[in-house]
Amino acid sequence: MTPKLFIFDCDGTIVDSQHTIVESMDHAFRVNDLTPPGNEATRSIIGLSLAPAVAKLDKTLSNEMIDKVVEDYKSFCIAKRENGEDDEALYDGAKHVIESLAKEDDILLGIATGKAYRGVVHLFNCHDWHDHFVTVQTADRAPSKPHPGMILQAMGETGAEREATVMIGDTTYDMDMAVNAGVMAIGVSWGYHSKDMLHASGAHHIVDDYTALHQLLKEL
């Protein structure tokens, strides 16, 4: 039987990390004497890799300043994580559904995220998920969304075919990436971009909770 590959975004799809991301971004801008972007603007770029995200938040920044903001963001995030202060709660139902899918012989699970690899490892450590995801694509190992590289690399690593691959995410960047890779796109409404935005970016389906997502994935 040809395996199905279900690729999950992380921030806004599996974990609600907006508070940590907004706080870290505001800090990184502030320590560089820049105006902090605030909640709404930062929510809009969650899902992108850090450098493109910072560049989108302030189009006047030089490459040198973008690099500085990125490094200060990373340092702040790492310090919060090491102090046990990072706020990344799983969405309701995420743990049950992911662990249930991971037990199915004909299903492979993957991650495609704007997080750095160490952030994903931290998530796996917290929930004992190291054996659940067979492929992990991160911002420091692939081009930023919406480039299709993360999905194409995941397919290459697992041998999954396009028609058997699904991208699950909460932002237009996830939907655009899926469209660019030629795979099915499932949007989730509990994250950081609206249903209308997800539809406009090519979502084939949109679900409102993990129960609905689980049922849809079982039907595919």
Side-chain angles (χ1 to χ4, degrees), residues 84-107:
E85 298 172 352
D86 57 320
D87 183 10
E88 295 194 350
L90 294 178
Y91 286 102
D92 289 345
K95 185 175 180 65
H96 170 72
V97 170
I98 286 171
E99 293 180 356
S100 295
L101 292 172
K103 295 176 182 177
E104 299 293 332
D105 292 336
D106 61 337
I107 292 174

Side-chain angles (χ1 to χ4, degrees), residues 5-217:
L5 174 61
F6 298 151
I7 305 173
F8 285 79
D9 168 56
C10 196
D11 298 311
T13 301
I14 296 176
V15 295
D16 187 4
S17 50
Q18 62 178 303
H19 302 296
T20 294
I21 293 172
V22 170
E23 183 184 8
S24 300
M25 194 66 76
D26 280 358
H27 167 84
F29 271 68
R30 191 177 296 112
V31 297
N32 286 286
D33 297 321
L34 301 169
T35 302
N39 182 70
E40 184 176 352
T42 298
R43 277 172 55 98
S44 74
I45 54 80
I46 293 175
L48 294 175
S49 300
L50 273 175
V54 171
K56 189 169 184 178
L57 287 171
D58 189 336
K59 296 179 174 61
T60 70
L61 299 183
S62 65
N63 289 336
E64 182 180 6
M65 181 55 75
I66 290 171
D67 291 342
K68 183 67 168 61
V69 171
V70 166
E71 288 308 311
D72 288 330
Y73 176 100
K74 290 179 179 178
S75 296
F76 188 80
C77 276
I78 291 170
K80 284 182 68 68
R81 190 175 298 139
E82 290 177 346
N83 292 331
E85 298 172 352
D86 57 320
D87 183 10
E88 295 194 350
L90 294 178
Y91 286 102
D92 289 345
K95 185 175 180 65
H96 170 72
V97 170
I98 286 171
E99 293 180 356
S100 295
L101 292 172
K103 295 176 182 177
E104 299 293 332
D105 292 336
D106 61 337
I107 292 174
L108 303 175
L109 298 184
I111 292 282
T113 177
K115 280 184 179 297
Y117 184 71
R118 62 175 170 267
V120 177
V121 170
H122 175 68
L123 174 68
F124 289 177
N125 287 341
C126 289
H127 302 286
D128 193 23
W129 281 356
H130 287 281
D131 295 331
H132 288 29
F133 294 90
V134 300
T135 179
V136 176
Q137 309 300 324
T138 58
D140 46 355
R141 297 183 171 196
S144 177
K145 301 172 185 179
H147 188 284
M150 290 190 188
I151 292 177
L152 298 180
Q153 288 178 188
M155 291 166 56
E157 289 179 5
T158 60
E161 301 293 337
R162 275 186 171 83
E163 59 270 19
T165 300
V166 178
M167 179 66 209
I168 303 150
D170 70 299
T171 70
T172 59
Y173 313 123
D174 299 309
M175 304 300 99
D176 290 340
M177 180 173 63
V179 170
N180 292 338
V183 305
M184 178 176 288
I186 296 178
V188 302
S189 66
W190 55 79
Y192 306 141
H193 286 182
S194 69
K195 285 184 176 182
D196 287 345
M197 294 171 68
L198 297 174
H199 273 303
S201 288
H204 296 93
H205 304 276
I206 296 180
V207 294
D208 292 325
D209 55 43
Y210 262 94
T211 299
L213 175 62
H214 197 189
Q215 183 60 40
L216 175 60
L217 293 176

